[in-house]
Amino acid sequence: MSEIETMPQNASKRVFIKTYGCQMNVYDSDRMADALAPHGYMPTQEIGEADLVLLNTCHIREKASEKVFSELGRLKELQGEKRAAGGDMMIGVAGCVAQAEGEEIARRAPVVDLVFGPQAYHRLPDMLAQAQSQRHMHPALKKAVIDTDFPEEDKFTHLPAARKEATIARGLTAFLTVQEGCDKFCSFCVVPYTRGAEVSRPVSQVLEEARRLVDAGVKEITLLGQNVNAYHGTDAAGRDIGLGELCYLLAEITGLERLRYTTSHPRDMDDGLIAAHRDLPLLMPYLHLPVQSGSDRILKAMNRKHTAAEYLSLIERIKAARPDMALSGDFIVGFPGETDSDFEDTLSIIRETGYASAYSFKYSTRPGTPGANLGHQVPEEIKTERLYRLQELVNQQTTAFHASMVGKTLPVLVERVGRLPGQVGGRSPYLQAVHLEGATDLIGAIHQVEIIGTSTNSLVGRLVRASAA
Ligand code: SAH
Ligand code: SF4
Ligand code: F3S
């Protein structure tokens, strides 16, 4: 494996990365920063001092996509100001919009120097060198460097590992992508086109990255994948390992205290993974398991390949293995052809399941997806009204879920200083933010905290027992 820890040759340049979209983009942005570090680029939070600005973009809904172009407009101005002051700034577009609209971005926004998709991140230093050589050309001859291939080679074996200091600076919780891409082709979704076919990283690669993270002080890892529970990695003996089995292997890493994974598809929630929830205390009782709709007719049109009843019986099996499992979901309202009665079925499945939290979206027509060609588009005002009703129901459930914690003592991973002086903050096993009075030396470990109240989006706690660590 070429994951060599390399020190920056000269750390004189600065890169600013702006991340949109899902957690996989958050992970990828860090990996891009890691790839650039050996070439002298250090991350900055100050866009004004950046020599290179990368937008890591999301194509999932129209609004997300359009943000890129408005941001590029602002960057053009900033670049102009920097040049007027004798400086310069390169601009790159990465992520799912880059993958989907590579040429179009370069055409619409000539200010862009590089456009590259998620499978090309290991080539970033080379692309940057090419783009730099173009900068001396006459503007009429200058062309953006575009790389939106799905290369044969595995980018993960070519991406350098994070330097230990970089991991430490990123905190006690970390993401680790184990699977990428999607073969499910839900009829509304661009991901199979922007991320490509489902690929799982080999078991040894995942374990090595996890050990490095833990070695740098990480206590909690969230395994990522567009369909993380479709993970099927190969181990050293050539055996096929599912996500459940991978969790058992990760659980053996000393110092790793919490494990989560996201996002899961109901069809890939197999017995092995459910058993892992029964057996492994480090596997946290919070599961993001999107169902999208409660109507069988709409589920079929969405190509989700399961029914509402199958989803509910799956939840029952999961709760039999882990009774305190908290659920989260995603919902789309206003999929083409969705009637009032279909929407009522969605509210019903929400009532029956009982969510700790949920994300909900108005259906957004995406070019190139089968859904874009369907008739019976739902009018915008109906989508708005349905979204409002759905969110009201989910908010009630979230509030009730938080309230049900009051009086309980929960293990809280204290991660940071709190909003108010004298406070620290962390997360419950159910991913709730918890604030409590306490000294900063509580940061970095799991402590027993009694929940004494709730505020809008978090819990208020009182330290019961600090852990020995
Ligand atoms: N792989 C995950 C979802 C990834 S996309 C899964 O299968 O559940 C994240 C969420 O965005 C989806 O769950 C869906 O609710 C929403 N979404 C995706 N495409 C959309 C579209 N065209 N319009 C509105 N919401 C969409
Ligand atoms: Fe998109 Fe469906 Fe794949 Fe999820 S499972 S990424 S919603 S196509
Ligand atoms: Fe968006 Fe791509 Fe993630 S479309 S949600 S950034 S996989």
Side-chain angles (χ1 to χ4, degrees):
M1 191 180 308
S2 74
E3 296 203 36
I4 314 155
E5 214 164 312
T6 342
M7 283 307 290
Q9 289 152 0
N10 92 52
S12 60
K13 288 175 278 181
R14 293 279 181 270
V15 55
F16 178 92
I17 308 182
K18 183 158 182 175
T19 309
Y20 303 84
C22 63
Q23 289 105 325
M24 298 200 61
N25 267 11
V26 175
Y27 174 83
D28 288 345
S29 290
D30 283 346
R31 298 306 302 262
M32 283 191 261
D34 298 336
L36 289 169
H39 299 268
Y41 283 89
M42 287 291 108
T44 174
Q45 308 299 322
E46 280 296 322
I47 195 163
E49 65 176 35
D51 303 284
L52 169 66
V53 173
L54 294 176
L55 303 182
N56 192 6
T57 61
C58 173
H59 196 55
I60 202 83
R61 285 168 290 274
E62 193 179 350
K63 265 199 193 135
S65 269
E66 279 306 313
K67 276 188 196 153
V68 182
F69 291 100
S70 54
E71 186 64 30
L72 285 173
R74 278 194 290 275
L75 288 178
K76 191 176 172 192
E77 277 178 35
L78 183 61
Q79 190 189 54
E81 285 164 25
K82 289 197 90 171
R83 284 186 177 166
D88 204 357
M89 182 176 92
M90 295 185 76
I91 298 170
V93 180
C96 292
V97 180
Q99 185 63 49
E101 299 184 18
E103 300 281 347
E104 170 77 1
I105 296 172
R107 203 181 51 74
R108 256 177 87 176
V111 67
V112 170
D113 297 286
L114 315 153
V115 183
F116 54 105
Q119 303 312 326
Y121 293 162
H122 56 301
R123 297 181 183 164
L124 177 54
D126 287 347
M127 289 187 271
L128 201 55
Q130 275 180 48
Q132 245 144 5
S133 66
Q134 295 245 352
R135 293 193 76 72
H136 308 295
M137 289 187 185
H138 186 276
L141 296 173
K142 204 190 117 208
K143 274 180 71 185
V145 176
I146 301 179
D147 191 342
T148 51
D149 290 347
F150 287 106
E152 284 283 308
E153 76 268 14
D154 164 25
K155 73 171 167 194
F156 289 111
T157 51
H158 295 276
L159 278 166
R163 288 172 308 116
K164 193 167 178 177
E165 310 85 88
T167 306
I168 292 170
R170 288 170 192 158
L172 297 165
T173 61
F175 292 137
L176 198 177
T177 293
V178 298
Q179 178 279 339
E180 202 170 359
C182 181
D183 296 340
K184 296 269 187 316
F185 292 91
C186 299
S187 58
F188 51 82
C189 184
V190 292
V191 171
Y193 312 96
T194 63
R195 292 276 173 168
E198 256 173 46
V199 179
S200 295
R201 294 177 71 186
V203 173
S204 61
Q205 222 185 63
V206 172
L207 294 178
E208 184 181 326
E209 192 168 327
R211 282 192 206 101
R212 272 175 174 274
L213 290 169
V214 173
D215 188 45
V218 167
K219 304 281 184 213
E220 173 179 310
I221 293 179
T222 302
L223 307 176
L224 298 181
Q226 265 90 28
N227 270 293
V228 71
N229 57 347
Y231 177 84
H232 276 283
T234 311
D235 73 1
R239 275 189 329 129
D240 181 79
I241 304 286
L243 188 68
E245 219 176 321
L246 184 70
C247 290
Y248 287 93
L249 295 173
L250 287 160
E252 284 168 20
I253 298 177
T254 313
L256 179 61
E257 304 204 23
R258 288 181 165 187
L259 193 57
R260 304 179 186 275
Y261 60 88
T262 199
T263 292
S264 308
H265 193 289
R267 285 195 41 108
D268 294 315
M269 213 57 222
D270 62 18
D271 290 343
L273 185 52
I274 296 176
H277 278 288
R278 182 195 59 212
D279 297 341
L280 300 174
L282 100 164
L283 195 52
M284 290 293 100
Y286 178 92
L287 180 62
H288 185 61
L289 196 63
V291 65
Q292 315 294 355
S293 167
S295 152
D296 287 343
R297 220 172 57 78
I298 296 296
L299 285 169
K300 193 162 193 304
M302 286 177 163
N303 195 30
R304 291 291 291 185
K305 300 199 176 79
H306 64 77
T307 62
E310 281 162 352
Y311 180 81
L312 289 169
S313 79
L314 172 61
I315 302 281
E316 254 177 52
R317 280 166 50 221
I318 296 167
K319 286 205 165 166
R322 182 79 207 223
D324 67 336
M325 182 67 83
L327 289 154
S328 132
D330 288 344
F331 294 91
I332 295 178
V333 298
F335 185 81
E338 185 187 73
T339 62
D340 282 344
S341 142
D342 292 320
F343 176 64
E344 290 303 325
D345 290 344
T346 299
L347 295 180
S348 298
I349 206 169
I350 295 174
R351 283 190 203 99
E352 260 192 75
T353 306
Y355 287 95
S357 71
Y359 303 88
S360 46
F361 314 97
K362 291 186 211 174
Y363 171 69
S364 168
T365 308
R366 305 309 291 130
T369 62
N373 302 324
L374 295 174
H376 307 290
Q377 296 284 334
V378 174
E380 190 61 24
E381 39 322 336
I382 296 186
K383 285 186 196 170
T384 305
E385 198 233 308
R386 287 182 186 163
L387 188 70
Y388 178 80
R389 285 184 61 203
L390 190 156
Q391 289 182 342
E392 209 173 28
L393 175 58
V394 168
N395 287 344
Q396 283 168 12
Q397 294 193 337
T398 304
T399 306
F401 181 69
H402 287 341
S404 74
M405 297 291 143
V406 176
K408 288 188 178 150
T409 296
L410 302 178
V412 172
L413 173 58
V414 178
E415 292 166 54
R416 57 185 170 273
V417 294
R419 275 177 294 195
L420 301 174
Q423 274 195 346
V424 289
R427 296 258 171 202
S428 79
Y430 313 105
L431 211 58
Q432 297 150 299
V434 184
H435 298 279
L436 59 142
E437 301 283 320
T440 50
D441 60 5
L442 292 174
I443 295 171
I446 295 173
H447 305 287
Q448 295 300 318
V449 174
E450 187 196 353
I451 305 306
I452 54 173
T454 62
S455 67
T456 327
N457 275 319
S458 60
L459 304 179
V460 183
R462 182 183 65 82
L463 184 68
V464 174
R465 203 170 55 251
S467 80

